[in-house]
Amino acid sequence: MSKKLERNDPCWCGSGKKYKNCHMRFDEKIHGFELEGHIVPGHDIIKTPEQIEGIRESGKVNIAVLDYVAENICAGISTEQINKWVDDKTRELGGIPAPLGYEGFPKSVCTSINDEVCHGIPSEDVILKEGDIINVDVSTIYKGYFSDSSRMFIIGKTTPDREKLVRVAKECVEEGIKAVKPWTFLGDMADAVNRHAKENGYSIVVDIGGHGVGLEFHEDPFVSYVTPKGTEMLMVPGMVFTIEPMVNAGTAEIYQDADNGWTIYTDDGKPSAQWEVTVAVTEDGCEVLVW
């Protein structure tokens, strides 16, 4: 937590109110969980209503870009064409593609096909085929605020097994959303996600998870989807993070492309699926800001 404030000091949130009339009881409640040994968020993790509105507006651009991809994606196009759509549409709407140049990433979107778990790099040489499943992961900077979401697309007609994987991956996100409640734990959400995946015979990637987002592309906390109930960081109103479990048809084991240093694959070559949303914790649950 931040340095101790006196009751009559201005509140740390910038509201202009006295601390005692704003976040003092909120902080005391968090401190109670901290004394019990739980991981708790610092003030830097908690967004103000104005910041959440900025993320929400950024999310509108992000959603519009994914809608445009959904209207046009089909067999026979390259993943580089998807990259061009995303870059052009984002800029047309006044945004900036967040992935471009992030830690050296060379494109404006991630396109991950079949056994690619995440961070697939668009290429003129990768052509979508009938039966492919692909995750298109779009992230946007708009007026200084970051938003992040992804969708799965089935190209034409695919196998029943792949259709089920895509459906269950989406259901895992929906289970996670339902489990986001203030004054419970990220592990509670993770448990809901992991249980649904396991009940359907799937596994969740352990080593890569979600993240805080809003003022930066990736912020604390790291969001796991395999941890037990009652563990991980306390969820409190104002936290903003992604729910984006990577659901594998086979093993949870993965490996990284040694040549490009980005793309992650399933270790057994079986397909993987992922949907991503950005949520804000509210007083009685959560708001899905971006999907």
Side-chain angles (χ1 to χ4, degrees):
M1 302 297 290
S2 300
K3 69 175 183 176
K4 182 174 174 58
L5 293 176
E6 298 299 326
R7 292 169 54 84
N8 291 316
D9 287 342
C11 188
W12 54 264
C13 74
S15 66
K17 298 178 182 178
K18 291 182 178 180
Y19 182 48
K20 66 182 180 183
N21 296 325
C22 197
H23 274 92
M24 189 175 79
R25 289 186 179 178
F26 177 85
D27 283 352
E28 288 173 347
K29 189 169 183 177
I30 291 176
H31 186 55
F33 282 91
E34 187 177 29
L35 291 175
E36 293 175 0
H38 295 291
I39 303 168
V40 300
H43 293 159
D44 58 326
I45 286 177
I46 300 163
K47 305 296 191 291
T48 67
E50 293 76 19
Q51 289 169 337
I52 290 173
E53 177 59 24
I55 300 165
R56 189 183 291 116
E57 289 300 307
S58 178
K60 290 178 182 178
V61 176
N62 212 76
I63 291 165
V65 171
L66 277 167
D67 285 347
Y68 185 79
V69 172
E71 291 166 5
N72 291 280
I73 196 168
C74 61
I77 67 162
S78 69
T79 52
E80 177 57 33
Q81 179 62 66
I82 298 172
N83 181 70
K84 188 175 188 309
W85 289 339
V86 169
D87 193 271
D88 289 350
K89 195 68 175 176
T90 301
R91 296 180 192 279
E92 175 190 320
L93 296 171
I96 300 168
L100 185 60
Y102 178 76
E103 295 186 352
F105 191 77
K107 299 292 181 175
S108 296
V109 66
C110 296
T111 52
S112 305
I113 302 175
N114 300 332
D115 66 330
E116 295 176 348
V117 176
C118 61
H119 304 161
I121 300 176
S123 169
E124 291 282 7
D125 298 328
V126 179
I127 308 298
L128 296 183
K129 304 184 300 297
E130 180 90 5
D132 283 341
I133 60 173
I134 178 172
N135 176 269
V136 178
D137 190 348
V138 173
S139 308
T140 301
I141 311 168
Y142 181 73
K143 295 184 178 179
Y145 290 98
F146 291 75
S147 56
D148 197 4
S149 65
S150 76
R151 299 180 195 169
M152 291 298 299
F153 298 99
I154 296 173
I155 306 304
K157 189 174 179 60
T158 194
T159 66
D161 285 348
R162 288 187 176 188
E163 282 186 355
K164 180 186 175 186
L165 176 65
V166 170
R167 173 177 57 80
V168 171
K170 187 175 184 180
E171 290 171 355
C172 284
V173 171
E174 293 166 345
E175 291 299 313
I177 292 168
K178 288 189 286 186
V180 175
K181 296 180 174 64
W183 314 112
T184 64
F185 302 93
L186 283 171
D188 299 353
M189 180 273 296
D191 179 71
V193 169
N194 199 23
R195 276 190 294 106
H196 191 71
K198 285 185 173 180
E199 285 167 4
N200 284 277
Y202 301 136
S203 62
I204 299 284
V205 171
V206 176
D207 297 329
I208 307 173
H211 52 89
V213 66
L215 306 184
E216 301 290 344
F217 192 177
H218 291 107
E219 304 174 1
D220 288 335
F222 173 80
V223 181
S224 170
Y225 308 105
V226 296
T227 46
K229 293 181 72 171
T231 66
E232 301 299 318
M233 186 176 284
L234 178 72
M235 293 186 285
V236 304
M239 285 178 63
V240 177
F241 56 86
T242 64
I243 302 177
E244 50 175 315
M246 298 162 199
V247 183
N248 290 356
T251 179
E253 297 300 313
I254 56 175
Y255 70 93
Q256 185 178 66
D257 189 302
D259 293 326
N260 68 37
W262 280 101
T263 308
I264 304 296
Y265 299 86
T266 59
D267 198 50
D268 57 9
K270 293 183 178 180
S272 181
Q274 179 194 29
W275 299 74
E276 178 183 11
V277 299
T278 298
V279 301
V281 183
T282 63
E283 296 292 339
D284 58 2
C286 74
E287 176 190 353
V288 179
L289 299 176
V290 198
W291 194 344

